[in-house]
Amino acid sequence: MLAYDNTSRPDLTQWSFTETEFNPLAQGKCESIMSLGNGYMGLRSATEEAYIGQTRNLFVNGTFNRFDEFEVTELPNAADVTGMDIYIDGERFSLDTGKTAEYARSLNMRDAELTRSFVWENRAGKRVRFAFRRFVSLGNLHLIGMKAEVTPLDADISLRAVSGIDAQLGNSGSQHFHEGEKRIFDKTVMQLIQTTTESKVDFVIHAAHRFSLDGQPLSIEPKMEIERRKMAMQYGCDIKAGQTFELQKLASVHTSRDAEHATDYDLAVMREQAREEIRLALDAGYDALFERHRQAWAEVWDKYLFRIESKHDFDLLALRFAVYHLVVMTPAHDNRMGIGAKGLSGEGYKGHSFWDTEIFILPFYIYSGPDVARRLLEYRYQGLEGARRKAKENGYEGAMYPWEAAWPTDGEVTPVWGAVDIVTGKQTKIWSGFIEQHITSDIAYAVWHYVQATGDRDFMDRCGYEMILDTAKFWASRLEWNEALARYEINEVIGPDEYKEHVDNNAFTNYMAHFNMELAIQYYELLRREQPELFRRLNEQLDLERAYADWKQKLGRMYLPQPNEDGVIPQDDTYLQKQLIDLTKYKAQQKVGTLFEDYNLDQVNGIQVSKQADIMMLFYLLENRFSAHLKHTNYNYYEPKTLHDSSLSYSTHCILANDFDDSQLAYELFRKAAEIDLGTHMHSSDAGIHSASLGGVWQCVVMGFAGIRMLDGALHLNPKLPQEWERLTFPLYWKSARLEVDITHDALRISTDANEELTLIIRGTATSFVNQLELHF
Ligand code: IFM
């Protein structure tokens, strides 16, 4: 059970949510949605004591390893430092036994701290209050702080705690680490050094404890244990009724992938520095370390300062939840890393990056933290090497970005085999890595979007032109000439709607490829005219003059699907001829994917049913190429056939519903998007949170209800608050000026420190101002 209000901490209203009952059968939910992290590492919030059904995960961004040649590379699950077994009078504490009262596990997003407390009664009837706290530091990216307080309420107890570093875990059975080296220093500091088996990334993990009784420091002689892939310390203490015993555990993680070791790496130096760091952390203690972390988060919330005044407290909570996880999952510290489709909160999608980043998450950073947006695009720039290799291997030119990406130079890492085919009993083949190709133009689009909004010419010169020009080269080589129809086509693809495989002329793919080439033509001409030296260099590198002639020749003859007599744009060549079935049951489903309980993917391919926004995504990204009427007609055709089985679907539909002035529907769709992880479905997040959908929640608010859009290089605002809301305020970066936007039903106020005149298009009218703008509707 989840509660969204916080009665015991009114200061945390709309900042925290709580699990009010421990459910051993639904541990994945809170492990994921309450996961902690700092972009460097992500820690799933599994309980200290072990239960069947839990998943203990600690991922360090960028540390990909390939188990063997039959699997693709993935983020290895590092050794667990959070496990702790507590024995009361010899009985192992577990919520599976005895009685539990006053249970609450909360994520305080303001301070990024996980807390858990309850009163547990053991078999002998002794009641003990437990309180756990935990954070993954934003002040020091390598540090994890934990604290456990144990207070016997009505009788003395004897306590034993076993706590250590456990590397006996893996990723669903795959073990990514060599056994490694273990040592305990001064009966205090545990040190584990392990190396990944294929990528040879060294991990140095430390953990150490300190204790107090009723606030007085306590020294306890431990019993030490070292076993295979595991080490632990055992501590014992007698506690009188009413006394509080506190155990603090500080842990740290360093790897040879860390940016500071990129050029000058020496394991001996790293382990010594890390050991010194944990010693200092132990001296400082949880509270002091937490204070530094809390201040770092206060700066985050200052930077992304937004407010929603709504009839429903849930709405602001949901936006904060989205931003909390976006910060936790994003490697803002290192441009060699991307964002995983599940962030760093679970094994799902193996830590790989998809178009989720560029199309769903990047807009949040473009408009609220452009420095981070640039780093994410630099990651893709470094990925050009793998993208060029993929193009070559497939017989194309230029850069063909991988559908799933890991370390920048890895190239394509999409696995080949997936879920069971209910008809054949075999595994279903995952075709995305071969034929879901729109990612290439999605990345080019993102570069263009970023530079239009920020005006970052330096990024364009260093990376952006090359990315757009080389991706356009890929598309030109990818086009197929249809002699009978005298046009260029793109056949045999998967579009955004993954329920349609091996289709010809997916509208989204064709239009976006066309956009990519069109952009390349414009940039080619601009560079040639205005930056001859850069042009010369890129021309030499990419053979641009030949490519330009090719683009010019092909662009005008490219097939862009047009509306039929009913005004419906065919999603692909055959979609509109496929079978229509009654989808009522699946539209009303309580969990995603129920269609596959009745059909296999081959059969689904033959039905007019969609997984997610496809043409709708096209309307959103290239919105001024289509009329409002056409968009609405197509929405009415495709939405009833869309099961929103991908978490990427609701937010796009929400934004379009807003554009159609259906603000009630838009609000309902916003809620659905927000509830994918934060809602009460107890299994939707088992494999990790849904990164794209969290970016989508932010987009529902800013691109949807505030109506922000970048069109033809201008910033448009078309605010339409839902009836439930009174007010919306948020920061917005536009061409390096920071704006504070404040929207109510009858007014729009914008303020900025930039002393230059700004021109924005507000509800269709160009409006200029310096510093302040106030408009009443
Ligand atoms: O990128 C998405 C895709 O659109 C739908 N399936 C899941 C992927 C990762 O989130």
Side-chain angles (χ1 to χ4, degrees):
M1 284 289 292
L2 287 178
Y4 301 105
D5 50 352
N6 197 321
T7 42
S8 59
R9 291 279 308 269
D11 61 313
L12 291 181
T13 303
Q14 295 175 300
W15 280 110
S16 74
F17 55 95
T18 303
E19 179 191 51
T20 55
E21 205 175 278
F22 177 67
N23 178 357
L25 299 179
Q27 295 178 76
K29 176 77 175 182
C30 288
E31 287 173 0
S32 287
I33 68 171
M34 294 187 179
S35 61
L36 303 169
N38 52 25
Y40 170 80
M41 64 177 150
L43 177 63
R44 214 168 141 96
S45 288
T47 54
E48 282 72 6
E49 69 284 5
Y51 296 97
I52 290 172
Q54 69 180 187
T55 308
R56 311 189 79 90
N57 283 154
L58 171 64
F59 297 115
V60 180
N61 221 330
T63 58
F64 291 99
N65 185 64
R66 190 169 182 190
F67 172 67
D68 67 15
E69 67 273 34
F70 303 108
E71 296 196 21
V72 294
T73 194
E74 66 181 327
L75 281 185
N77 187 18
D80 177 49
V81 292
T82 60
M84 207 181 275
D85 270 335
I86 298 178
Y87 297 81
I88 306 287
D89 295 341
E91 179 183 345
R92 183 176 172 275
F93 149 68
S94 166
L95 296 170
D96 277 342
T97 59
K99 287 187 202 149
T100 306
E102 299 173 42
Y103 178 89
R105 170 160 56 164
S106 299
L107 177 67
N108 162 0
M109 296 185 287
R110 188 189 64 193
D111 306 328
E113 188 183 29
L114 179 76
T115 59
R116 189 166 65 112
S117 61
F118 46 85
V119 174
W120 182 69
E121 188 177 321
N122 73 358
R123 289 204 184 95
K126 288 188 182 176
R127 291 181 314 132
V128 181
R129 182 175 293 284
F130 285 85
F132 296 94
R133 293 171 62 185
R134 192 190 288 182
F135 69 95
V136 171
S137 177
L138 197 62
N140 172 351
L141 300 185
H142 301 281
L143 205 71
I144 300 172
M146 288 158 279
K147 192 191 241 199
E149 287 176 355
V150 182
T151 314
L153 296 181
D154 32 37
D156 301 350
I157 60 165
S158 141
L159 174 140
R160 186 159 59 92
V162 183
S163 169
I165 303 177
D166 180 2
Q168 291 182 349
L169 311 170
N171 294 55
S172 301
S174 293
Q175 176 52 258
H176 285 285
F177 293 94
H178 294 297
E179 163 78 25
E181 210 186 305
K182 289 150 281 182
R183 181 162 172 196
I184 300 169
F185 293 88
D186 305 325
K187 294 189 177 178
T188 307
V189 174
M190 290 173 278
Q191 183 185 68
L192 170 73
I193 300 177
Q194 285 193 301
T195 305
T196 55
T197 52
E198 170 263 348
S199 55
K200 303 294 174 205
V201 177
D202 294 331
F203 278 61
V204 174
I205 299 187
H206 285 96
H209 301 87
R210 59 182 251 176
F211 312 90
S212 68
L213 192 61
D214 275 348
Q216 294 306 309
L218 202 65
S219 162
I220 305 179
E221 178 74 13
K223 224 176 121 193
M224 302 183 287
E225 296 166 5
I226 290 189
E227 311 168 30
R228 194 172 174 194
R229 293 177 191 273
K230 195 173 182 176
M231 75 188 108
M233 310 285 257
Q234 252 195 59
Y235 303 99
C237 181
D238 292 330
I239 315 170
K240 296 207 176 318
Q243 282 186 325
T244 296
F245 170 77
E246 183 189 274
L247 177 160
Q248 293 188 12
K249 184 175 186 182
L250 286 322
S252 70
V253 183
H254 292 259
T255 84
S256 52
R257 271 276 147 94
D258 299 352
E260 57 265 39
H261 303 301
T263 46
D264 188 15
Y265 174 63
D266 182 339
L267 174 61
V269 173
M270 178 166 78
R271 66 197 282 178
E272 278 318 299
Q273 285 172 348
R275 188 153 72 92
E276 175 62 5
E277 177 192 67
I278 201 75
R279 207 187 51 70
L280 294 173
L282 202 60
D283 285 350
Y286 185 100
D287 295 343
L289 298 169
F290 177 71
E291 183 50 27
R292 186 168 161 213
H293 160 76
R294 199 192 58 72
Q295 278 171 15
W297 269 94
E299 283 166 28
V300 166
W301 293 116
D302 250 13
K303 178 172 171 188
Y304 304 126
L305 192 66
F306 45 76
R307 258 214 96 65
I308 297 172
E309 287 174 25
S310 166
K311 286 183 190 149
H312 310 288
D313 278 359
F314 182 86
D315 297 348
L316 178 56
L317 181 80
L319 184 57
R320 284 178 171 155
F321 177 79
V323 173
Y324 165 83
H325 276 290
L326 288 168
V327 172
V328 157
M329 72 176 76
T330 303
H333 62 289
D334 196 328
N335 69 4
R336 301 167 305 160
M337 292 157 199
I339 299 178
K342 303 282 183 190
L344 297 166
S345 69
E347 269 186 41
Y349 293 124
K350 302 178 168 12
H352 296 171
S353 303
F354 296 66
W355 71 315
D356 305 32
T357 305
E358 284 70 26
I359 301 300
F360 291 84
I361 298 170
L362 197 77
F364 164 70
Y365 285 115
I366 290 178
Y367 293 107
S368 348
D371 50 322
V372 182
R374 186 180 55 238
R375 257 166 260 154
L376 289 169
L377 289 171
E378 285 168 349
Y379 163 71
R380 289 300 194 177
Y381 177 70
Q382 295 171 75
L384 274 176
E385 183 183 326
R388 286 176 176 139
R389 203 169 55 243
K390 180 173 174 184
K392 210 167 178 180
E393 281 164 9
N394 285 276
Y396 303 120
E397 292 182 21
M400 179 188 193
Y401 272 102
W403 174 245
E404 295 187 24
W407 191 246
T409 49
D410 282 345
E412 185 57 72
V413 294
T414 307
V416 177
W417 298 105
V420 66
D421 176 325
I422 60 153
V423 175
T424 64
K426 295 181 181 169
Q427 275 191 282
T428 307
K429 183 158 180 175
I430 302 173
W431 282 97
S432 301
F434 305 98
I435 59 173
E436 192 154 358
Q437 294 164 358
H438 61 84
I439 175 96
T440 292
S441 37
D442 303 334
I443 291 172
Y445 178 94
V447 169
W448 168 78
H449 188 178
Y450 166 77
V451 81
Q452 292 291 312
T454 60
D456 185 350
R457 308 252 44 110
D458 171 63
F459 172 78
M460 277 310 274
D461 290 356
R462 281 188 301 108
C463 315
Y465 289 122
E466 192 177 331
M467 292 166 82
I468 288 172
L469 295 166
D470 220 19
T471 47
K473 275 185 72 177
F474 158 69
W475 284 117
S477 69
R478 173 68 179 84
L479 295 180
E480 294 159 58
W481 177 247
N482 181 328
E483 188 61 40
L485 296 169
R487 66 189 192 192
Y488 283 103
E489 302 183 338
I490 304 177
N491 296 323
E492 182 67 9
V493 295
I494 301 176
D497 172 11
E498 294 178 333
Y499 286 173
K500 295 291 158 279
E501 294 187 334
H502 310 286
V503 296
D504 295 343
N505 296 312
N506 167 258
F508 179 90
T509 307
N510 285 24
Y511 275 92
M512 290 295 285
H514 183 270
F515 172 82
N516 196 162
M517 289 196 290
E518 199 176 47
L519 211 54
I521 290 174
Q522 286 166 17
Y523 282 137
Y524 173 97
E525 290 168 357
L526 182 88
L527 277 178
R528 191 180 186 125
R529 206 172 50 239
E530 294 181 7
Q531 289 179 264
E533 182 43 35
L534 182 58
F535 176 80
R536 193 198 53 74
R537 186 172 63 70
L538 287 171
N539 188 25
E540 205 173 288
Q541 184 191 346
L542 305 176
D543 195 7
L544 286 184
E545 275 164 2
R546 188 187 55 80
Y548 177 72
D550 202 24
W551 299 327
K552 289 288 262 190
Q553 193 271 120
K554 290 177 174 165
L555 196 73
R557 299 184 196 186
M558 203 179 150
Y559 172 51
L560 298 176
Q562 297 300 312
N564 65 13
E565 59 282 8
D566 298 322
V568 175
I569 298 181
Q571 185 177 296
D572 57 59
D573 280 357
T574 51
Y575 191 99
L576 299 180
Q577 288 84 56
K578 291 182 196 282
Q579 190 192 357
L580 285 162
I581 65 163
D582 180 4
L583 293 169
T584 317
K585 167 175 149 194
Y586 308 109
K587 289 288 275 183
Q589 65 190 359
Q590 294 305 307
K591 61 179 178 100
V592 297
T594 56
L595 189 65
F596 291 97
E597 291 168 10
D598 300 331
Y599 302 94
N600 73 2
L601 194 53
D602 274 350
Q603 294 163 325
V604 167
N605 241 322
I607 302 170
Q608 289 198 43
V609 62
S610 295
K611 181 179 183 182
Q612 64 200 96
D614 188 300
I615 296 246
M616 298 307 123
M617 182 52 79
L618 171 64
F619 291 160
Y620 173 44
L621 296 188
L622 300 181
E623 76 164 66
N624 51 3
R625 303 205 173 186
F626 306 94
S627 74
H629 177 72
L630 181 85
K631 287 186 225 170
H632 210 163
T633 307
N634 281 270
Y635 186 101
N636 290 338
Y637 186 82
Y638 285 105
E639 197 288 328
K641 298 171 183 65
T642 304
L643 299 183
H644 306 289
D645 275 355
S646 158
S647 66
L648 280 62
S649 198
Y650 281 128
S651 57
T652 311
H653 283 84
C654 163
I655 295 165
L656 288 173
N658 231 305
D659 290 353
F660 308 146
D661 290 327
D662 194 341
S663 67
Q664 190 51 42
L665 175 63
Y667 179 71
E668 281 163 25
L669 291 164
F670 158 73
R671 285 294 291 242
K672 286 194 165 160
E675 284 166 9
I676 290 172
D677 287 308
L678 191 54
T680 51
H681 190 291
M682 294 311 275
H683 290 286
S684 60
S685 311
D686 283 355
I689 49 84
H690 299 78
S691 313
S693 124
L694 295 165
V697 167
W698 179 88
Q699 292 202 48
C700 289
V701 174
V702 172
M703 313 314 236
F705 301 127
I708 300 289
R709 228 50 73 77
M710 187 281 292
L711 296 174
D712 299 327
L715 185 71
H716 292 238
L717 280 92
N718 197 10
K720 290 173 203 165
L721 292 193
Q723 276 317 308
E724 281 78 359
W725 293 9
E726 280 303 317
R727 188 171 191 178
L728 167 66
T729 61
F730 58 93
L732 191 81
Y733 283 87
W734 178 250
K735 311 271 188 204
S736 74
R738 182 181 160 111
L739 319 179
E740 308 296 332
V741 182
D742 182 352
I743 301 169
T744 56
H745 283 282
D746 51 12
L748 167 69
R749 292 175 187 83
I750 301 178
S751 59
T752 170
D753 287 342
N755 287 323
E756 293 151 29
E757 184 178 75
L758 270 177
T759 302
L760 308 180
I761 316 291
I762 298 177
R763 293 196 164 166
T765 306
T767 312
S768 301
F769 65 99
V770 183
N771 295 142
Q772 299 275 350
L773 171 76
E774 180 160 341
L775 285 179
H776 291 267
F777 306 126

